[in-house]
Structures are given as C-alpha cells and as structure tokens.
Amino acid sequence: MKTVRTMDWIALLFIIVGAINWGLIGFFQFDLVATLFGGASTLVSRIIYAIVGVSGIYGLTFFNNIGESTERV
C-alpha cells in the first residue's frame, strides 16, 4: 500500500486554497489572497499564486494513483 507523502498533502492544501479563491473570484469578484496580503501585485500574493500554480501542476501526478488497487484487510 502506497502512503501519501507530506508533499502531496501540502500540494493538496494549496490546490484547495486556489480552488476556493477562484470560486470566490468567479461568484463574488472577491480575491481572498489579494485581500489578505495587500493586493494582487504584492510579492506575497504573487508567491502564493505561484505556489498554487506549481501545486496544480504537481497535482496532475495524483492521476497516477487513480485506479490503483487498495489492499483489503
């Protein structure tokens, strides 16, 4: 049985943050990351956006795990 690595959890966390932020932008025109970190063009916001983007690309590797048989107890 393959264990989930810490990097997978961190990537998943940032993917969820990105999804929530895009949902807020789409439904309410409200950018939570920009609001929390002083605007969309601040360094911290840009770093968060970049990490979310890299996490999304890394998240594509999760598709390798789909369909793997799980060990039955």
Side-chain angles (χ1 to χ4, degrees):
M1 186 170 154
K2 192 174 186 180
T3 60
V4 178
R5 296 176 295 175
T6 303
M7 188 69 172
D8 293 347
W9 283 107
I10 293 170
L12 184 59
L13 173 69
F14 278 104
I15 291 168
I16 291 168
V17 166
I20 290 170
N21 196 54
W22 275 110
L24 289 170
I25 291 169
F27 289 116
F28 306 111
Q29 296 181 348
F30 177 73
D31 188 341
L32 181 62
V33 173
T35 300
L36 291 176
F37 298 108
S41 61
T42 63
L43 180 62
V44 176
S45 292
R46 290 175 51 209
I47 290 170
I48 299 290
Y49 296 140
I51 292 172
V52 167
V54 170
S55 296
I57 293 168
Y58 178 80
L60 293 172
T61 64
F62 296 166
F63 284 110
N64 289 337
N65 298 331
I66 294 175
E68 284 186 3
S69 62
T70 57
E71 186 176 319
R72 293 184 183 209
V73 179

